[in-house]
Amino acid sequence: MTLRIAVVGTGYLGAVHAAGMAELGFDVVGVDVDEAKVDALRAGKAPFFEPDLQPLLERHVASGALRFSTDFASVTGSDVVFICVGTPQRADGLAADMTYVYSSVEAVAPHLSNGALVVGKSTVPVGTATALADRLDSLAPAGSGAELAWNPEFLRESFAVEDTLRPDRLVFGVTSEGAEERLREVYATALEADTPLIVTDLATSELVKVSANAFLATKISFINAIAEICEITGANVTQLADAIGFDERIGRKFLNAGIGFGGGCLPKDIRAFMARAGEIGAGQSLAFLGEVDAINLRRRDHVVNMTRELLGGEVADRRVAVLGAAFKPNSDDVRDSPALAVAGALHLAGAHVTVYDPEAAENAAKIYPTLEYGTSAMDVCRGAEVVLHLTEWKEFRALDPVELGAVVSTKAIIDGRNCLDTDAYRRAGWTFRAMGRP
Ligand code: UGA
């Protein structure tokens, strides 16, 4: 019989996971407390921009295989309930806010039956799964046989559908053979395609996820620290990354120096990991992540300082065009976006900042309503005294430096992502600054 799957939380992770599960042939219900989001999803509309998600939603909502609800009772009868809610940074410190994870498990527990497996996917501090298993034991109906497992998610926004359907590895944190069997059923397609699988305990599965993100963040901050050295010595960090990247032990991926990492995962995950390490008496083990965070945030200040320098020392009342608002291209996610942080800092310093992003302007305007938003790159660059390229959308790479040069008031540009054609800009008479390279 087709497995019945529930997915709690329909954000960047849950909505894609629900659609992916329907694509794999399961009967799926997505549950969220956000009515607007559920209404959009019910109509087969993606509530955010993610390549390839829309057609999946349309197809499976239309066939009835994928349904959405705000009522937790709709998980009744599910074989597997995935928990995909957010764990944002707490307002009062570095730790993760676990409210949504606990409230979701508490809300679904009374509706479970027939050995339902609750599977956590959210990124959580180590120890959470064991605590949740206890909650489940006390809240699920007697004899329901409900059980908890952990199955961390490694999808990247902007490749989320691809990563969900064809993951590069699977991790099952389980406490019984039954739970492993159930997860093997869910991921049968990926396992048949020889996707590597690690079956482990709950704590290891939780730590795999935060360790992976901590490593990625460290890799980016490593190359950005080297970029700082290159900036002083006149060396070229891009060539350096190519050269060290050929060493297979190092690898070229995630060695792109620039304005640093942002988004809803890496920044808050390294902070929550440090906070948790402190709680368990191992603060020193992860103290280096504080440095990773500091290097990352310095990149934003660096772009602000470079902008000031290009403007002759004064930004107040000067016209700055910002290309990009999303934390990375092919996404409308602006959570902890380096691009927006830079735009916001320049605005606070008195600059007249106009921002263009192909998809993220609406979300950006919600958190930075005082910035001005334009409808195209050309539009925001008109009259600009300096242009900042801060999110590497493909359309920005395709801009013609000669045409762009004709609309700005001063031909000065900072490539915060090191991916524009330096020579073409310089040939067209631009003052061109990049990150960690001449
Ligand atoms: C990250 C991880 O890559 C996923 O594996 C993980 O599942 C996800 O977090 C999560 O925890 O949910 P994501 O936040 O989508 O995925 O973004 P990344 O592709 O990791 O990029 C993060 C930031 O690093 C972006 O701002 C990007 O511009 C920046 N970056 C990336 C660099 O500055 N340099 C690089 O070389 C690579």
Side-chain angles (χ1 to χ4, degrees):
M1 211 180 79
T2 311
L3 278 182
R4 283 161 306 175
I5 292 188
V7 178
V8 179
T10 59
Y12 287 97
L13 165 58
V16 178
H17 190 67
M21 288 289 119
E23 177 73 6
L24 291 173
F26 301 118
D27 184 66
V28 184
V29 60
V31 186
D32 202 301
V33 292
D34 184 335
E35 278 184 30
K37 213 179 270 177
V38 166
D39 282 346
L41 288 161
R42 269 191 188 133
K45 289 202 178 69
F48 50 85
F49 177 79
E50 178 63 47
D52 306 327
L53 177 59
Q54 185 63 41
L56 243 61
L57 284 175
E58 276 169 25
R59 199 158 63 240
H60 298 297
V61 167
S63 77
L66 178 57
R67 298 171 308 284
F68 291 94
S69 175
T70 51
D71 183 0
F72 281 88
S74 59
V75 310
T76 305
S78 296
D79 301 301
V80 179
V81 180
F82 283 103
I83 304 296
C84 295
V85 294
T87 51
Q89 187 175 336
R90 284 171 65 111
D92 61 357
L94 297 184
D97 180 351
M98 299 303 294
T99 317
Y100 309 114
V101 171
Y102 277 92
S103 63
S104 311
V105 171
E106 286 159 8
V108 298
H111 305 290
L112 301 176
S113 59
N114 294 330
L117 187 65
V118 176
V119 182
K121 271 199 164 294
S122 308
T123 305
V124 295
V126 59
T128 303
T130 304
L132 287 172
D134 289 346
R135 282 308 281 143
L136 199 59
D137 271 350
S138 59
L139 293 174
S144 70
E147 195 182 327
L148 190 105
W150 215 258
N151 166 225
E153 177 57 57
F154 305 105
L155 70 77
R156 300 157 297 169
E157 286 177 30
S158 79
F159 296 99
V161 171
E162 175 63 20
D163 288 351
T164 299
L165 296 177
R166 279 168 284 278
D168 59 1
R169 80 283 211 190
L170 290 165
V171 175
F172 299 168
V174 291
T175 53
S176 76
E177 277 178 21
E180 179 185 337
E181 282 314 306
R182 186 49 62 81
L183 283 170
R184 281 182 179 275
E185 263 183 88
V186 172
Y187 291 108
T189 307
L191 292 171
E192 277 158 23
D194 289 332
T195 305
L197 166 65
I198 308 282
V199 181
T200 184
D201 55 86
L202 296 176
T204 306
S205 67
E206 294 168 310
L207 279 171
V208 165
K209 173 60 193 271
V210 281
S211 305
N213 277 3
F215 191 86
L216 294 171
T218 303
K219 209 171 171 191
I220 299 168
S221 277
F222 172 83
I223 202 64
N224 278 328
I226 301 296
E228 294 182 340
I229 305 293
C230 291
E231 271 147 22
I232 296 166
T233 55
N236 184 322
V237 77
T238 306
Q239 289 182 325
L240 182 149
D242 290 343
I244 64 172
F246 280 119
D247 184 332
E248 279 180 14
R249 294 168 303 174
I250 296 174
R252 180 63 177 83
K253 288 181 184 160
F254 269 64
L255 278 185
N256 293 321
I259 57 168
F261 58 82
C265 304
L266 263 44
K268 65 100 178 157
D269 286 351
I270 58 169
R271 292 173 194 153
F273 202 8
M274 280 188 277
R276 185 65 182 140
E279 284 166 12
I280 60 175
Q284 222 180 351
S285 307
L286 297 185
F288 74 95
L289 288 178
E291 202 53 47
V292 166
D293 201 8
I295 294 166
N296 191 51
L297 295 177
R298 274 208 301 274
R299 300 311 287 167
R300 303 172 184 194
D301 296 340
H302 180 59
V303 177
V304 172
N305 292 337
M306 270 175 127
T307 307
R308 185 176 287 113
E309 197 191 304
L310 278 175
L311 290 171
E314 190 47 75
V315 295
D317 222 21
R318 308 296 290 277
R319 299 185 73 86
V320 179
V322 170
L323 301 180
F327 84 105
K328 68 174 182 181
N330 297 316
S331 171
D332 65 355
D333 193 345
V334 296
R335 288 176 294 172
D336 206 346
S337 164
L340 265 190
V342 168
L346 288 167
H347 172 70
L348 282 178
H352 180 88
V353 183
T354 47
V355 182
Y356 168 67
D357 188 285
E359 294 291 340
E362 203 179 307
N363 285 341
K366 284 183 204 151
I367 54 172
Y368 279 103
T370 49
L371 296 173
E372 201 175 300
Y373 297 91
T375 53
S376 70
M378 284 296 180
D379 178 31
V380 295
C381 288
R382 200 155 284 123
E385 294 168 85
V386 59
V387 177
L388 311 185
H389 172 243
L390 301 183
T391 311
E392 68 275 39
W393 286 90
K394 205 170 160 194
E395 71 171 74
F396 298 150
R397 285 204 296 279
L399 287 168
D400 178 352
V402 175
E403 282 174 28
L404 198 64
V407 302
V408 296
S409 92
T410 308
K411 286 194 267 188
I413 187 163
I414 298 174
D415 182 6
R417 295 295 187 172
N418 279 349
C419 61
L420 298 178
D421 184 341
T422 316
D423 292 342
Y425 274 86
R426 289 196 175 133
R427 269 199 311 275
W430 287 77
T431 301
F432 187 97
R433 295 280 164 80
M435 310 297 285
R437 57 170 224 215

